[in-house]
Amino acid sequence: MAFTFQINDDVVFNHDERLLAKAEANRPVLKQRVIQPTRLVDIVADEAGLNGYVAVDNEQDVARLTDYPQGRDGSLVLDFGDHQVGHFSIDIDSVGSPMDAPLYLRLKFAEIPAEIAADSAEYDGWLSKAWIQEEYIHLDTLPTHLELPRRYSFRYVELKVLDTSPKWQTVFSKPQVVAESAVEATDAPTVQLADPQLQKIYDISVKTLQDCMQTVFEDGPKRDRRLWIGDLRLQALANYATFDQRELVKRCLYLFGGMTTTDGKIPANVFTAPQLTPDDTFLFDYSLFFVSILADYQAQTNDRAVLDDLYGIAKKQIQVAAQKVDPQGALRLDDAWPVFVDWSNDFNKETAGQAIFIYTLKQFITLAHLVNDEAVVEYETLLAQMTRYARETLFDDQQQLFVSGEDREINVASQVWMVLAHVLDDNQNALMMQKMVAQLFPITGIATPYMYHHVVEALFEAGQTKAAVQLMKDYWGKMVDLGADTFWEAFKPEDPDFSPYGSPIISSYCHAWSCTPAYLIQKYL
Amino acid sequence: MAFTFQINDDVVFNHDERLLAKAEANRPVLKQRVIQPTRLVDIVADEAGLNGYVAVDNEQDVARLTDYPQGRDGSLVLDFGDHQVGHFSIDIDSVGSPMDAPLYLRLKFAEIPAEIAADSAEYDGWLSKAWIQEEYIHLDTLPTHLELPRRYSFRYVELKVLDTSPKWQTVFSKPQVVAESAVEATDAPTVQLADPQLQKIYDISVKTLQDCMQTVFEDGPKRDRRLWIGDLRLQALANYATFDQRELVKRCLYLFGGMTTTDGKIPANVFTAPQLTPDDTFLFDYSLFFVSILADYQAQTNDRAVLDDLYGIAKKQIQVAAQKVDPQGALRLDDAWPVFVDWSNDFNKETAGQAIFIYTLKQFITLAHLVNDEAVVEYETLLAQMTRYARETLFDDQQQLFVSGEDREINVASQVWMVLAHVLDDNQNALMMQKMVAQLFPITGIATPYMYHHVVEALFEAGQTKAAVQLMKDYWGKMVDLGADTFWEAFKPEDPDFSPYGSPIISSYCHAWSCTPAYLIQKYL
């Protein structure tokens, strides 16, 4: 998640210390693993590679790194064999005459080969260039053991010697990363699938999830490195299907529950360092997904204590959202509190928003029954109104598809979310999904695995298993074909090199909301 | 000192632990002083400024730094009021929305305004770009207290925000430098001179010396930050005339004395971090100046213990150098062991080399008498031979000037060093200096205060006080006019913007060998 821009710096937040203490009590101890690079590579222009570059074996032996001293403008690219999230260190020495100038070194950490090839100075997008994983370092004396204090997300590391002096060169040895995650690969049961392509998709989605599971569920370990509620919902589902590390979900629920606005709203994301801080971004669907995450957690764990702690906050999300529903049962949003649905703003989101509210309202009603909330009737009434409005006004009987907005736009998101919300019956859902595939596929203009996830899940929910699997293969499978070690924040199959930020050095190639194939395969296949 | 390029990485050195332990025992404890910036400035193109830039007051108040938050590409330039050598720190925070990206900050430390204006990426000279005092720093969380681990040499600090995010800005507060030196300004007696221009020259030369006095006499605190013997000789003389911090001279004598080659030669410079390491650069005159520094130290301190420890090493320099003298008393050097005299290689150095040997041989003979070395006769014979050769063969009776090399070149360095070595009598010296001023002034092609020092001193030695003072004013006075806070490594009055490296960002604007006016004024005025 990123790509959403709001400033609401006048909003006042609660800090519920009791709930936040529970969040802290469930903070995981990160598991560490020391990993060495597997080879030295050259980054070579190649149309077949993502953004036009691939990494190819070079003739040098990574075990004999000290045989390759480097002077001004010399560089080595280490390949760590797979995507890694952690802390990098390396030993550095000089050879030749005594060291008569500092060493000036640039280290670049890259999730994909094209990031090494990209010139950071040319990046001019709106998203902060501070995210570029590149460090300039002066070392006044050698030998030294260089331990970088920051965490990086990468597979490749370029060691570029900006300068030594004409009298000596730099030698490197013992590069390593201490990889970190709240879980280890072996914490998830091994799954053997008959279909080798699905197996690859499954394994990479688990690796993606693992690398995003840190002291919170991060959206991306490269960027933004923080807890977004839309990502969390999908990560929690994938986590239940794999690592089943429940404490981390609990922690994240308490983090959101402990930091609502004074009028009760949950922010779209929170920061946890240097101190717990809610962001000032608010998205209608993201606030509601707190209900969804709590309901999913409850269904998975039956953890009544968490439900008792957080039910009131979940209810508040419904209450605040309900204020946006008119007497006819129509959701009427304004710009101050937009619905996200997907990054793109090139489609009408009204009907998808209505469906998401219905989806979460149903989950809320389940919870309300569990806690014997007498007010449940009120929400059942609201559900009925919103469902009726959806069926009677938003559904176009002639086209047998949902329309959205004044211009009665027919788009993918509306159909998908209405299926997920089960507003129509199973037969109608099946027909609707078939019509969607016939009319709106192949999909264009959707750039996020987040939206593709919902499309695939809706196909599964509507019994269109074959189409669901095909779409999963066409989408995540194509990332695999393009060399993905983990799944990406953004991907348009019709334009593989697309970056929402204009450069691969800012894009996140290990992003939480793309990790769901493991969940989808476990649940539906 | 820099600008000399040799690789002799097969030379083997002694490490005399007894002498090096004495060097370590005389390591000074640095004196620290906390200094705040005095104003915020703009760096403005102005032909009157060195390299085309000056710093002008801007309207912002440095005491209200937090009133000037900075986003992407924003910058502030702090002026610390005078040249500083030390460690910089600053407090940094964010304002606006929560910090949703790292801060990416560039700090640039500049001795002169033009360094701020220069684009480091454009520097392409042979000298290591690692010397450019510029750091790129990512800060993942704010607020923070940033303490840079490296030492810088500067007056101006540019804080350039490379990026925040569109949602927040950076605020700075409490910038400071902990300035360091082996001496404090108050350690030197205050000197009141009638001539205000000489007063300025005097004061700035003392400041230059102070900032170069660290755990060794450094050549320049910006670059190369190490102990060169040619600089040391002049620094020690200036030090006796001002701070008179004798332990530091003693330490440096022991450092050189403790690290000779296995055939006895003293290297041109030594490194002291991370461990004591002699450089593999050898210069004929620099090796001999060990004798000169020891003799000057002895004359100043009468410290017999140091003489007893180091006399043998001084003698070895004379013995090794004597092998280069032919039976006629002519010095015959080869490329493997060049004489420095000055940076420029555009003049013939043979006669100047002969004079420098005579100069140091005389000092050695004084020491030999002090220790009652019976071999002194041998060196008196050598001195007589070399002096005779100089008078009879190198001195051109018709021109009344010394010639150098096969082409009988007449240059400044030959005359100057023959005067300093007192090869002729005082009358002849006076006449020779008058002729030099008449024929070779105004000087062109000399870029170093090191060579200008010797010219001025020779004028004084030859009784040409007025010409000496005038040259001091024309040279160091012109640096003052151009805004010098400390005196520079290189300066050509006929081409003020000249840099031997092609860029001010590599030049050193506080350089030891330019600190001698204090010595010259004290000794001769």
Side-chain angles (χ1 to χ4, degrees):
Chain A
M1 181 73 193
F3 213 57
T4 289
F5 184 74
Q6 293 179 21
I7 293 181
N8 296 296
D9 52 9
D10 52 346
V11 174
V12 181
F13 284 90
N14 301 309
H15 271 253
D16 186 323
E17 297 305 337
R18 193 181 67 88
L19 298 183
L20 294 176
K22 292 196 178 187
E24 221 37 40
N26 285 284
R27 182 191 177 92
V29 175
L30 296 184
K31 299 180 177 184
Q32 299 189 323
R33 224 154 68 84
V34 176
I35 294 164
Q36 272 89 30
T38 56
R39 56 174 187 156
L40 286 164
V41 294
D42 294 324
I43 304 300
V44 174
D46 184 333
E47 281 180 19
L50 187 64
N51 288 89
Y53 288 89
V54 295
V56 298
D57 234 61
N58 77 15
E59 284 161 23
Q60 296 176 316
D61 178 1
V62 72
R64 292 167 48 218
L65 218 47
T66 51
D67 289 357
Y68 317 120
Q70 303 294 326
R72 179 187 281 190
D73 293 332
S75 72
L76 295 170
V77 180
L78 306 170
D79 177 359
F80 277 84
D82 199 353
H83 190 268
Q84 313 292 347
V85 177
H87 287 81
F88 178 82
S89 65
I90 192 164
D91 286 356
I92 309 177
D93 204 350
S94 66
V95 288
S97 291
M99 190 186 167
D100 61 346
L103 169 63
Y104 193 26
L105 182 66
R106 190 186 74 194
L107 295 102
K108 200 168 178 183
F109 296 86
E111 295 184 317
I112 66 165
E115 290 176 76
I116 301 287
D119 180 358
S120 306
E122 285 176 12
Y123 171 73
D124 195 31
W126 67 273
L127 204 68
S128 179
K129 64 184 76 168
W131 288 118
I132 299 170
Q133 299 186 120
E134 188 172 56
E135 307 293 353
Y136 290 81
I137 292 173
H138 286 100
L139 294 168
D140 287 322
T141 56
L142 295 177
T144 198
H145 173 68
L146 177 68
E147 267 191 65
L148 296 185
R150 305 177 72 216
R151 196 197 68 188
Y152 304 95
S153 178
F154 63 100
R155 172 171 169 171
Y156 306 98
V157 182
E158 183 192 39
L159 306 168
K160 169 126 186 178
V161 174
L162 297 175
D163 219 339
T164 55
S165 97
K167 295 188 64 171
W168 55 275
Q169 292 189 297
T170 304
V171 285
F172 299 99
S173 58
K174 299 187 192 153
Q176 67 171 41
V177 56
V178 179
E180 294 176 349
S181 167
V183 292
E184 278 174 19
T186 49
D187 293 345
T190 308
V191 169
Q192 299 291 347
L193 302 175
D195 182 323
Q197 190 180 15
L198 285 185
Q199 180 76 51
K200 275 189 188 166
I201 292 171
Y202 185 94
D203 292 343
I204 292 173
S205 77
V206 173
K207 171 69 170 156
T208 304
L209 176 61
Q210 182 193 355
D211 284 359
C212 293
M213 288 174 73
Q214 301 293 334
T215 57
V216 293
F217 282 97
E218 295 186 12
D219 60 336
K222 174 180 172 185
R223 202 218 80 241
D224 316 331
R225 308 184 196 154
R226 69 180 188 271
L227 177 59
W228 283 87
I229 210 163
D231 301 75
L232 171 60
R233 176 175 148 262
L234 301 188
Q235 284 169 298
L237 291 172
N239 174 44
Y240 301 140
T242 55
F243 302 105
D244 201 19
Q245 212 289 26
R246 299 172 182 191
E247 288 71 25
L248 192 60
V249 185
K250 199 198 291 193
R251 166 169 163 76
C252 294
L253 277 167
Y254 278 114
L255 284 172
F256 280 111
M259 294 187 284
T260 57
T261 64
T262 48
D263 59 359
K265 241 187 252 177
I266 284 197
N269 66 92
V270 298
F271 302 85
T272 52
Q275 56 207 19
L276 301 180
T277 306
D279 191 26
D280 61 358
T281 299
F282 297 92
L283 298 166
F284 178 79
D285 41 353
Y286 273 40
S287 296
L288 283 172
F289 282 145
F290 181 79
V291 177
S292 188
I293 297 162
L294 182 60
D296 292 339
Y297 177 79
Q298 181 60 32
Q300 180 72 14
T301 65
N302 215 10
D303 180 341
R304 187 60 193 244
V306 170
L307 182 60
D308 287 344
D309 278 339
L310 300 178
Y311 174 77
I313 289 158
K315 184 174 179 177
K316 189 73 190 179
Q317 305 317 303
I318 299 290
Q319 289 172 328
V320 174
Q323 293 166 12
K324 301 292 178 182
V325 180
D326 75 7
Q328 284 69 48
L331 180 65
R332 302 290 180 200
L333 287 176
D334 50 54
D335 289 348
W337 197 20
V339 67
F340 175 70
V341 187
D342 190 21
W343 266 353
S344 170
N345 287 321
D346 294 339
F347 68 98
N348 186 285
K349 301 184 177 182
E350 289 177 24
T351 294
Q354 176 100 8
I356 291 171
F357 197 177
I358 293 170
Y359 177 92
T360 54
L361 192 52
K362 286 181 169 177
Q363 291 188 295
F364 174 71
I365 288 165
T366 306
L367 296 179
H369 282 295
L370 273 176
V371 300
N372 297 315
D373 184 346
E374 289 174 6
V376 69
V377 185
E378 187 183 320
Y379 298 101
E380 287 170 335
T381 305
L382 177 65
L383 174 62
Q385 284 173 328
M386 293 191 75
T387 303
R388 186 167 55 241
Y389 181 80
R391 286 179 187 152
E392 294 179 358
T393 308
L394 299 180
F395 190 68
D396 182 321
D397 279 324
Q398 202 174 347
Q399 301 193 71
Q400 290 288 305
L401 288 169
F402 282 89
V403 297
S404 189
E406 277 183 19
D407 297 339
R408 303 179 64 77
E409 177 184 300
I410 289 176
N411 60 40
V412 169
S414 306
Q415 321 312 319
V416 159
W417 272 108
M418 283 295 177
V419 166
L420 292 173
H422 290 277
V423 168
L424 305 181
D425 66 27
D426 289 352
N427 263 345
Q428 286 174 298
N429 278 348
L431 283 171
M432 194 164 67
M433 287 292 95
Q434 287 160 11
K435 284 210 75 169
M436 180 182 80
V437 170
Q439 286 187 26
L440 301 175
F441 275 34
I443 292 170
T444 57
I446 295 180
T448 65
Y450 177 80
M451 190 64 226
Y452 269 91
H453 160 82
H454 293 112
V455 180
V456 173
E457 183 158 41
L459 289 168
F460 277 126
E461 284 287 312
Q464 308 301 301
T465 301
K466 201 177 152 193
V469 170
Q470 191 56 51
L471 184 59
M472 193 154 48
K473 288 183 166 191
D474 288 348
Y475 192 70
W476 282 268
K478 184 149 184 185
M479 288 192 246
V480 175
D481 293 344
L482 285 164
D485 300 304
T486 45
F487 289 126
W488 311 333
E489 173 187 27
F491 179 55
K492 277 185 187 174
E494 73 274 24
D495 178 12
D497 291 345
F498 167 79
S499 160
Y501 315 111
S503 170
I505 50 175
I506 291 290
S507 295
S508 164
Y509 293 96
C510 174
H511 220 73
W513 67 17
S514 70
C515 76
T516 56
Y519 157 73
L520 295 168
I521 289 167
Q522 288 278 7
K523 181 168 180 187
Y524 296 106
L525 294 180
Chain B
M1 180 71 194
F3 212 58
T4 289
F5 184 73
Q6 293 178 22
I7 293 181
N8 297 295
D9 52 8
D10 52 346
V11 174
V12 181
F13 283 90
N14 301 309
H15 271 254
D16 186 323
E17 297 304 337
R18 193 181 66 88
L19 298 183
L20 294 176
K22 292 196 178 187
E24 220 38 38
N26 284 285
R27 182 191 176 93
V29 175
L30 295 183
K31 298 180 177 184
Q32 299 188 324
R33 224 155 67 85
V34 175
I35 293 164
Q36 272 89 29
T38 56
R39 56 175 187 156
L40 286 163
V41 294
D42 294 324
I43 305 300
V44 174
D46 185 332
E47 280 180 21
L50 187 64
N51 288 88
Y53 288 89
V54 295
V56 298
D57 234 60
N58 77 14
E59 284 161 22
Q60 296 175 316
D61 178 1
V62 72
R64 292 168 48 220
L65 218 46
T66 52
D67 289 357
Y68 318 119
Q70 303 294 326
R72 177 186 284 190
D73 294 332
S75 72
L76 295 169
V77 180
L78 306 169
D79 177 359
F80 276 83
D82 199 351
H83 190 268
Q84 312 293 346
V85 177
H87 287 82
F88 177 81
S89 65
I90 191 164
D91 286 355
I92 309 177
D93 204 351
S94 66
V95 289
S97 290
M99 190 187 167
D100 61 346
L103 168 63
Y104 193 26
L105 182 65
R106 190 186 74 194
L107 295 103
K108 199 168 178 183
F109 296 85
E111 295 184 318
I112 66 165
E115 290 176 75
I116 302 286
D119 180 357
S120 306
E122 285 176 13
Y123 172 73
D124 195 31
W126 67 272
L127 204 69
S128 179
K129 65 186 73 167
W131 288 119
I132 299 169
Q133 297 186 121
E134 188 173 58
E135 307 292 354
Y136 290 81
I137 291 172
H138 286 100
L139 294 168
D140 287 322
T141 57
L142 295 177
T144 198
H145 173 66
L146 178 67
E147 268 190 65
L148 296 185
R150 305 177 72 216
R151 196 197 69 186
Y152 304 96
S153 178
F154 63 100
R155 172 172 170 170
Y156 306 98
V157 183
E158 183 192 40
L159 306 168
K160 169 125 187 180
V161 174
L162 298 175
D163 219 339
T164 55
S165 96
K167 296 187 65 171
W168 57 275
Q169 292 188 298
T170 305
V171 285
F172 300 99
S173 59
K174 299 188 193 154
Q176 67 171 42
V177 55
V178 179
E180 295 175 349
S181 166
V183 291
E184 277 175 20
T186 49
D187 293 344
T190 308
V191 169
Q192 299 291 348
L193 302 174
D195 182 323
Q197 190 179 14
L198 285 184
Q199 180 76 52
K200 275 190 188 164
I201 292 171
Y202 185 93
D203 292 342
I204 292 173
S205 75
V206 173
K207 172 70 170 156
T208 304
L209 175 62
Q210 181 193 355
D211 284 359
C212 294
M213 287 174 73
Q214 301 293 333
T215 56
V216 293
F217 282 97
E218 296 186 13
D219 59 336
K222 173 180 173 185
R223 200 216 84 240
D224 318 329
R225 307 184 197 156
R226 69 179 187 269
L227 177 58
W228 284 86
I229 211 164
D231 300 76
L232 170 60
R233 175 174 149 262
L234 300 188
Q235 282 169 299
L237 291 172
N239 174 44
Y240 302 141
T242 55
F243 302 105
D244 201 18
Q245 212 288 26
R246 298 174 183 190
E247 288 70 27
L248 192 59
V249 185
K250 198 198 293 194
R251 166 170 163 76
C252 293
L253 277 167
Y254 278 114
L255 283 171
F256 280 111
M259 295 188 283
T260 56
T261 64
T262 47
D263 58 359
K265 241 187 250 176
I266 285 196
N269 66 92
V270 298
F271 301 86
T272 52
Q275 57 208 20
L276 301 181
T277 306
D279 191 25
D280 61 357
T281 299
F282 297 91
L283 298 166
F284 178 80
D285 41 353
Y286 274 38
S287 296
L288 284 173
F289 282 144
F290 181 79
V291 177
S292 188
I293 298 162
L294 181 61
D296 292 340
Y297 178 79
Q298 181 59 32
Q300 179 72 13
T301 65
N302 214 11
D303 180 342
R304 186 61 194 243
V306 171
L307 181 61
D308 289 343
D309 279 338
L310 300 177
Y311 175 76
I313 290 158
K315 185 174 179 178
K316 189 73 190 176
Q317 305 317 304
I318 298 291
Q319 288 172 327
V320 173
Q323 294 167 11
K324 300 292 179 184
V325 180
D326 74 9
Q328 285 69 48
L331 179 66
R332 303 291 179 201
L333 286 175
D334 51 53
D335 289 348
W337 197 19
V339 66
F340 175 71
V341 186
D342 191 21
W343 267 352
S344 170
N345 287 321
D346 294 340
F347 69 98
N348 186 285
K349 300 184 178 182
E350 290 177 23
T351 295
Q354 176 100 8
I356 291 172
F357 196 175
I358 293 170
Y359 177 91
T360 54
L361 192 52
K362 286 181 169 177
Q363 291 188 295
F364 173 71
I365 287 165
T366 306
L367 295 179
H369 282 296
L370 272 176
V371 300
N372 296 315
D373 184 346
E374 289 175 5
V376 68
V377 183
E378 186 182 323
Y379 298 102
E380 286 170 338
T381 305
L382 177 65
L383 174 62
Q385 284 173 325
M386 293 191 74
T387 303
R388 187 167 54 243
Y389 181 81
R391 286 181 187 150
E392 294 179 358
T393 308
L394 299 180
F395 190 67
D396 183 320
D397 280 325
Q398 200 172 349
Q399 303 193 71
Q400 290 288 305
L401 288 169
F402 282 89
V403 297
S404 189
E406 278 184 19
D407 297 340
R408 302 179 64 79
E409 177 183 301
I410 290 177
N411 60 40
V412 169
S414 306
Q415 321 312 319
V416 159
W417 272 107
M418 284 295 177
V419 165
L420 293 173
H422 289 279
V423 168
L424 306 180
D425 66 26
D426 288 353
N427 263 346
Q428 286 174 297
N429 278 348
L431 282 171
M432 193 164 68
M433 287 292 95
Q434 286 161 10
K435 284 209 76 168
M436 180 182 79
V437 170
Q439 285 187 25
L440 302 174
F441 275 33
I443 291 171
T444 56
I446 295 180
T448 65
Y450 178 79
M451 190 64 226
Y452 270 91
H453 160 81
H454 292 112
V455 180
V456 173
E457 184 157 42
L459 290 168
F460 277 127
E461 283 288 312
Q464 308 302 302
T465 302
K466 200 177 155 196
V469 170
Q470 191 57 50
L471 184 60
M472 192 154 48
K473 288 183 167 191
D474 288 348
Y475 192 71
W476 282 268
K478 184 148 185 186
M479 287 193 246
V480 175
D481 292 344
L482 285 163
D485 300 305
T486 45
F487 290 125
W488 312 334
E489 173 186 27
F491 179 54
K492 276 185 188 174
E494 72 274 24
D495 179 12
D497 292 345
F498 167 78
S499 159
Y501 316 111
S503 171
I505 50 174
I506 291 289
S507 295
S508 164
Y509 293 96
C510 175
H511 219 72
W513 68 15
S514 71
C515 76
T516 57
Y519 157 74
L520 295 167
I521 289 168
Q522 289 278 7
K523 182 168 178 187
Y524 296 106
L525 294 179

